[in-house]
């Protein structure tokens, strides 16, 4: 499995206040979108999220987002290595993802840029 990079997940109270700091820090503009009632801004290696407490409480359980070449391959390697697949793989607006709990109890999101045909 090729790991292409990782994104730090940050839950913030006010996305509009947080974004300018991270844009300056990362040196580029935020890519914004909405998902399940949560406002999201992707800025460099940071994924800022703001929304209802109930949604953020769930999102806080995921330690990081890991970009991979192929989510299906990640699924296979994770399963063979003893991880528990919590959700997915499923299609998202930007590709596919899955949520996995590693044997140590940490939870990660794995994403690729592939679209389903």
């Amino acid at each position: 499995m090729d790991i292409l990079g990782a994104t730090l997940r940050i839950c913030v109270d006010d996305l509009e206040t947080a974004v300018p700091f991270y844009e300056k820090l990362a040196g580029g503009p935020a890519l914004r979108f909405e998902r399940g009632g949560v406002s999201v801004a992707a800025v460099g290696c940071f994924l800022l999220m703001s929304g209802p407490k109930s949604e953020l409480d769930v999102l806080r359980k995921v330690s990081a987002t890991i970009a991979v070449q192929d989510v299906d391959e990640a699924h296979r390697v994770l399963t063979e290595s003893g991880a528990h697949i919590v959700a997915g793989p499923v299609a998202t607006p930007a590709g596919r993802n899955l949520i996995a709990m590693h044997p140590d109890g940490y939870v990660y999101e794995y994403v690729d840029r592939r679209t389903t045909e």
Side-chain angles (χ1 to χ4, degrees):
M1 167 175 62
D2 291 332
I3 295 177
L4 307 175
T7 301
L8 305 171
R9 300 165 62 96
I10 304 168
C11 295
V12 298
D13 292 329
D14 184 354
L15 197 64
E16 297 310 314
T17 300
V19 166
F21 170 81
Y22 285 95
E23 286 178 328
K24 186 166 186 166
L25 190 64
L31 170 64
R32 296 173 183 246
F33 57 96
E34 296 276 328
R35 181 133 191 238
V38 174
S39 297
V40 180
V43 189
C45 67
F46 302 101
L47 189 64
L48 308 174
M49 299 172 286
S50 183
K53 182 183 178 326
S54 60
E55 294 291 328
L56 295 181
D57 286 347
V58 172
L59 295 171
R60 282 187 176 99
K61 294 178 182 180
V62 178
S63 297
T65 298
I66 300 170
V68 294
Q69 188 69 39
D70 183 356
V71 162
D72 293 328
E73 180 185 8
H75 184 278
R76 181 184 56 76
V77 171
L78 287 161
T79 302
E80 289 173 358
S81 301
H84 168 69
I85 306 303
V86 176
V90 298
T92 72
R96 299 174 305 151
N97 79 342
L98 67 80
I99 306 292
M101 180 184 294
H102 291 189
D104 58 14
Y106 284 91
V107 178
Y108 296 91
E109 175 187 33
Y110 288 81
V111 300
D112 67 21
R113 296 278 183 195
R114 293 180 175 212
T115 55
T116 53
E117 314 249 337

